[in-house]
Amino acid sequence: MEKKSCDTKTDLTQKLIPPVLYLILAVLLVNLLLYQYFNYVYPSYGQADVEHDSCQHGYFRLGTVKNCSPWLSCETLKREVRKLKRIGEGAVKRVFLSEWKENKVALSQLTVPELQEDFIHGLQMLKSLQSRHVVKLVGYCEEEFTVLTEYHPFGSLKNLNEILNLPKYKSFNTWHIRLLLAIDYVSILHYLHNSPLGTLVMCDSSDLDKVLSQYLLTSSFHVIVNDLDALPLVDKNAGRLIKCGHRELQGDFVAPEQLWPRGNEMAFEDSLMPPYDEMTDIWKIPDVSNFILGDVDGSDLVRFHLFDIHGACKRSPAERPSAQTVLDTYKKVLESLVRETVMPRTRDML
């Protein structure tokens, strides 16, 4: 009897071990495939940190150059930087594609003398906020109101659909890449709301086109912020809130608290307009992300998974989530959807 009992236990153990081993193997394969997946679809996802951190503050490096150089001075800009052609112009500055030691760079110059304060503010923000989220500063000349930054040939985020529809980049036109770009965008807002200078608000954001023009699309398919001319500081502990300019804002894109509260009952008066905080940036996240996600296979499924967090972004300011909460949700959705994509392949392999 004892022998028969032992034999039964042995048979049971032998029957249970293979499923357990298969389960362990499946988990290992899923994690391996996820690792390979992220390295394949977004090979440079962590490299931006390395690029900026490898040089101390006040220094930069471009391209494949290993050595760091100090930010270029007025004298060096005049002597070594050559303008090639104008590539853009806004209310504050004009931008030229230029060349420095065989490197393509973007040279920005003030267009309207009355906006000197905005230009200098943008330069100070650029100097203080250098990180993987911000365009790389190469040099500046404050006396001449000139700034030199790294050049990104894809241009602003407005060009996203045009770039991804090019035959050369169609393999990148997927919901995976687009969601990662949206994660980049929300990561920038989180960085600005928790910056070394305090809580900063993206004020140049009265409509979708204006928001998209503030960001650049890099050749490695990252989003970085480029225009920092309008970044007022919120300090709730000191009771310091902000207003984006001194003119009346209108339309559905801006947050409700940015609209004149008295409607047609009274003409707009800046001194009576209530101030607000960084939650105006949160309100705009769903609209910007909707553009980034585009109309590709799987993008509607991503929108479905983001429905609740996007709904929360449209609540009253006190009820809106922080940029950190939105960012965490985006990352969880990405991980969940990738696992759903990888698991069927794992089952096939087993």
Side-chain angles (χ1 to χ4, degrees), residues 112-141:
V112 183
E114 291 76 17
L115 297 177
Q116 289 181 8
E117 188 176 330
D118 290 340
F119 188 90
I120 295 300
H121 174 76
L123 172 58
Q124 295 306 322
M125 292 294 104
L126 193 56
K127 289 163 63 178
S128 301
L129 299 175
Q130 284 294 288
S131 71
R132 72 180 180 89
H133 302 291
V134 179
V135 69
K136 189 178 296 183
L137 180 61
V138 175
Y140 64 92
C141 182

Side-chain angles (χ1 to χ4, degrees), residues 22-262:
Y22 285 139
L23 181 60
I24 294 172
L25 180 60
V27 172
L28 290 174
L29 282 172
V30 167
N31 286 304
L32 177 61
L33 287 170
L34 283 172
Y35 176 80
Q36 290 177 334
Y37 169 83
F38 282 115
N39 276 279
Y40 173 73
V41 300
Y42 222 46
S44 58
Y45 195 67
Q47 291 177 7
D49 280 313
V50 176
E51 284 184 15
H52 274 280
D53 291 347
S54 61
C55 294
Q56 66 185 72
H57 186 72
Y59 287 73
F60 73 94
R61 65 182 182 87
L62 293 176
T64 58
V65 177
K66 293 182 179 180
N67 296 328
C68 297
S69 302
W71 288 335
L72 305 185
S73 64
C74 291
E75 182 182 344
T76 306
L77 288 177
K78 291 176 183 176
R79 186 178 65 250
E80 298 181 6
V81 177
R82 182 169 64 95
K83 285 184 185 178
L84 299 178
K85 64 176 180 179
R86 189 169 74 180
I87 55 175
E89 184 170 354
V92 178
K93 52 185 176 285
R94 186 177 292 122
V95 185
F96 297 87
L97 172 62
S98 304
E99 192 174 54
W100 174 74
K101 292 187 176 180
E102 299 184 353
N103 292 289
K104 294 292 189 297
V105 286
L107 182 72
S108 301
Q109 293 181 317
L110 179 69
T111 53
V112 183
E114 291 76 17
L115 297 177
Q116 289 181 8
E117 188 176 330
D118 290 340
F119 188 90
I120 295 300
H121 174 76
L123 172 58
Q124 295 306 322
M125 292 294 104
L126 193 56
K127 289 163 63 178
S128 301
L129 299 175
Q130 284 294 288
S131 71
R132 72 180 180 89
H133 302 291
V134 179
V135 69
K136 189 178 296 183
L137 180 61
V138 175
Y140 64 92
C141 182
E142 199 165 326
E143 305 92 88
E144 300 289 334
F145 300 101
T146 300
V147 174
L148 196 69
T149 55
E150 186 175 20
Y151 172 65
H152 294 279
F154 286 172
S156 83
L157 192 54
K158 288 196 293 185
N159 301 329
L160 176 63
N161 291 326
E162 181 183 343
I163 295 296
L164 289 178
N165 283 325
L166 293 173
K168 183 178 180 181
Y169 301 112
K170 277 198 172 181
S171 62
F172 290 89
N173 195 14
T174 64
W175 68 262
H176 321 81
I177 295 297
R178 286 177 175 270
L179 180 52
L180 284 165
L181 292 173
I183 287 174
D184 269 353
Y185 162 66
V186 179
S187 296
I188 292 169
L189 292 184
H190 173 255
Y191 174 68
L192 294 177
H193 292 178
N194 300 273
S195 82
L197 303 177
T199 302
L200 301 171
V201 183
M202 283 292 289
C203 262
D204 260 346
S205 55
S206 55
D207 57 58
L208 180 60
D209 271 1
K210 187 66 174 175
V211 172
L212 298 174
S213 70
Q214 310 302 303
Y215 299 87
L216 294 173
L217 178 65
T218 73
S219 300
S220 57
F221 288 96
H222 280 280
V223 177
I224 57 174
V225 64
N226 179 54
D227 197 330
L228 304 173
D229 295 341
L231 276 183
L233 177 68
V234 168
D235 187 348
K236 293 177 183 176
N237 292 330
R240 180 179 179 179
L241 300 177
I242 60 102
K243 288 187 285 186
C244 291
H246 303 287
R247 298 179 182 178
E248 182 178 4
L249 297 175
Q250 297 178 327
D252 296 330
F253 186 79
V254 296
E257 63 269 26
Q258 292 184 277
L259 300 173
W260 174 237
R262 305 195 182 187

